[in-house]
Amino acid sequence: MRHLMSPLDFSVEELDELLDLAQDIEAHPDKYAHACDGKKLATLFYEPSTRTRLSHEAAMLNLGGSVMGFASSDSSSASKGESVADTIRVISCYADICAMRHPKEGAPMVAAEHATIPVINAGDGGHEHPTQTLTDLLTIRNLKGRLNNMTIGLCGDLKFGRTVHSLINALVRYTGIRFVLISPEELRLPEYVRNDVLDRNNIPYDEVVRLEDALPDLDVLYMTRVQKERFFNEEDYVRMKDFYILDHTKMKLAPDDMYVLHPLPRVNEISVEVDKDPRAAYFRQAQYGVYVRMALILTLLDIRVD
Ligand code: NCD
């Protein structure tokens, strides 16, 4: 049985296959409409979500399966003090696969250890968010036609942004990748990612504070929200939240073929005027998230469609 805790749980070849499958699903959705007939997905969300929960559910429904779950810990027995280990043992009796989001780093790993069904990490604290990474990889591959030889700008809250940590983990396995890390001093990429992932793999990167300085050189700009819920005090959040605002004027500094990605939700970091720019790819990215999660569910349930 397989789980998805980190993008590294798949080899590069397996990832390529998964992205190929997602592309085939996009092209021929009817072929997959009954692939999961009779199967159930449980979504166990102990932390807020719109896209991740609903795109997992949409993915299972598109495959002919059904969905159940909870959208906050208040409405689950966690509020009575039940452990993740006990909850997952029980959910394993009800569902064929589950997606779990939890504010505590490592909680989905604990679930995977006690589960008899595949567990998908749908975001654990400030740690990882592998299904967002699958979405990001599919988006980049579809828009740029490749996943290698690229300069990727990561901008915003690189400290708490789990989507950034997972995306870096995944991209360092491709050749010719260079990062520009764009953040205020206080929200720099954690040292463990810089040392254990970037330095260990000899990945070139620059750290800059000004977005304007980075823009002219980028193939992809990955914007992120300042992660309010991970701050210890409101004052620091308020000081940081509008540090970056990508607008029409800044977009003039960027190459014509530089796409803007964002895992969403957006707060103020991308002005709505950028939405009309053909390089704004964040809503397309959300659509790719459904195809890639369909491919993931099929892969983890080991269901093949000819
Ligand atoms: C991200 C997350 O939850 O980490 N959202 C998402 O799943 N698309 C990014 C964020 O909340 O800022």
Side-chain angles (χ1 to χ4, degrees):
M1 195 184 34
R2 279 192 96 158
H3 307 287
L4 177 69
M5 293 296 123
S6 148
L8 300 182
D9 293 346
F10 288 113
S11 67
V12 172
E13 292 72 29
E14 285 173 327
L15 269 184
D16 281 345
E17 273 174 37
L18 193 119
L19 300 183
D20 289 344
L21 178 57
Q23 247 167 325
D24 195 59
I25 290 169
E26 179 186 7
H28 310 285
D30 293 349
K31 211 168 103 182
Y32 298 89
H34 295 286
C36 283
D37 278 358
K39 300 282 185 202
K40 294 189 226 64
L41 165 79
T43 49
L44 316 178
F45 277 60
Y46 296 85
E47 211 186 42
S49 168
T50 298
R51 267 148 299 272
T52 306
R53 186 169 63 85
L54 296 183
S55 63
H56 275 99
E57 296 192 356
M60 189 48 135
L61 294 171
N62 290 346
L63 292 166
S66 347
V67 298
M68 58 183 157
F70 52 83
S72 80
S73 57
D74 302 347
S75 60
S76 79
S77 282
S79 64
K80 301 178 183 171
E82 187 174 46
S83 68
V84 162
D86 282 3
T87 302
I88 197 68
R89 278 199 188 94
V90 174
I91 299 297
S92 295
C93 308
Y94 304 158
D96 300 283
I97 183 165
C98 87
M100 175 183 284
R101 167 169 290 189
H102 203 286
K104 287 218 176 84
E105 287 81 2
M109 290 71 165
V110 173
E113 277 167 24
H114 295 89
T116 54
I117 56 173
V119 178
I120 298 168
N121 176 4
D124 64 319
H127 184 219
E128 292 237 44
H129 192 347
T131 64
Q132 182 63 48
T133 297
L134 300 180
T135 304
D136 302 339
L137 295 178
L138 182 64
T139 307
I140 296 172
R141 200 179 80 163
N142 277 5
L143 296 174
K144 303 293 293 182
R146 64 181 196 278
L147 283 171
N148 49 17
N149 300 324
M150 225 172 318
T151 300
I152 316 259
L154 301 163
C155 177
D157 188 346
L158 309 188
K159 179 177 180 187
F160 296 118
R162 56 193 173 195
T163 62
V164 166
H165 306 159
S166 288
L167 185 58
I168 291 177
N169 257 315
L171 280 171
V172 297
R173 299 191 293 178
Y174 297 87
T175 53
I177 293 292
R178 189 178 149 253
F179 292 106
V180 185
L181 307 174
I182 310 151
S183 76
E185 185 64 30
E186 284 138 292
L187 298 179
R188 282 173 70 200
L189 192 71
E191 219 164 78
Y192 77 90
V193 185
R194 236 172 316 132
N195 297 345
D196 299 353
V197 186
L198 295 178
D199 295 339
R200 183 170 299 169
N201 291 288
N202 291 319
I203 304 297
Y205 65 90
D206 293 310
E207 289 191 283
V208 302
V209 174
R210 275 170 47 89
L211 175 56
E212 292 86 335
D213 295 342
L215 277 169
D217 297 326
L218 302 180
D219 294 299
V220 170
L221 171 62
Y222 193 92
M223 293 294 293
T224 62
R225 164 182 78 90
V226 175
Q227 306 280 296
K228 181 180 183 188
E229 63 276 36
R230 316 248 180 260
F231 275 72
F232 290 109
N233 71 66
E234 174 86 13
E235 219 174 276
D236 287 345
Y237 169 70
V238 170
R239 203 160 37 79
M240 292 287 116
K241 74 182 173 63
D242 293 329
F243 201 94
Y244 297 109
I245 299 180
L246 181 67
D247 58 13
H248 185 59
T249 313
K250 291 199 188 77
M251 283 300 285
K252 286 189 184 148
L253 300 170
D256 291 343
D257 59 353
M258 183 208 78
Y259 288 99
V260 183
L261 272 64
H262 190 310
L264 303 178
R266 149 179 63 186
V267 187
N268 281 332
E269 58 281 356
I270 304 179
S271 164
V272 291
E273 69 191 23
V274 177
D275 297 358
K276 290 193 288 290
D277 191 304
R279 296 168 291 180
Y282 27 92
F283 291 115
R284 276 177 276 174
Q285 191 180 354
Q287 175 67 59
Y288 288 131
V290 178
Y291 304 132
V292 93
R293 289 179 176 104
M294 289 170 76
L296 177 66
I297 290 170
L298 290 174
T299 305
L300 294 180
L301 290 178
D302 202 17
I303 293 172
R304 275 163 223 282
V305 177
D306 298 318

